């Protein structure tokens, strides 16, 4: 079968937590470093470095984000015909 390359639902939750955690940690560190140096340059540089690290970790569909694949229902043998169950009135057939 085709190898699944998408992140599953529990993997999405894990990715979101990792991303938020990295951004918070790097944000706090960059704030204190920027405050200590009294400059925005280290603040922005540390935030960009944290963002790039988060992108490297969170964007690719790593195997740890694909460990709980979704089990879909099997295909039905015969498709259900909903129009046969509910007949339209004769006058509606003339209009449509």
């Amino acid at each position: 079968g085709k190898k699944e390359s998408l992140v599953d639902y529990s993997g999405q939750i894990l990715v979101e937590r990792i991303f938020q955690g990295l951004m918070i940690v790097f944000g706090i560190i960059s704030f204190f470093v920027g405050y200590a140096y009294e400059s925005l340059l280290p603040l922005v540089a540390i935030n960009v470095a944290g963002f790039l690290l988060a992108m490297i970790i969170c964007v690719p569909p790593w195997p740890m984000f694909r460990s709980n694949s979704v089990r879909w229902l099997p295909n039905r043998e015969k498709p259900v015909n909903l129009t046969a169950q509910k007949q339209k009135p004769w006058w509606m057939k003339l209009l449509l």
Side-chain angles (χ1 to χ4, degrees), residues 14-96:
L14 179 60
V15 165
E16 184 68 25
R17 288 182 182 164
I18 291 171
F19 180 79
Q20 288 178 354
L22 283 172
M23 294 312 299
I24 288 170
V25 167
F26 274 87
I28 291 170
I29 291 170
S30 68
F31 174 77
F32 286 116
V33 170
Y35 186 77
Y37 283 101
E38 296 180 356
S39 174
L40 287 176
L41 183 63
L43 183 138
V44 172
I46 293 172
N47 270 328
V48 168
F51 180 75
L52 292 175
L53 178 66
M55 290 296 106
I56 291 170
I57 293 173
C58 296
V59 170
W62 299 108
M64 64 182 173
F65 303 140
R66 295 184 282 132
S67 59
N68 301 315
S69 61
V70 177
R71 288 189 176 185
W72 298 99
L73 293 174
N75 289 335
R76 293 183 176 181
E77 294 293 326
K78 191 176 185 183
V80 176
N81 190 358
L82 296 176
T83 58
Q85 294 175 356
K86 186 176 181 183
Q87 292 291 327
K88 295 179 183 178
W90 65 270
W91 56 270
M92 190 175 278
K93 291 179 187 176
L94 293 175
L95 297 176
L96 302 174

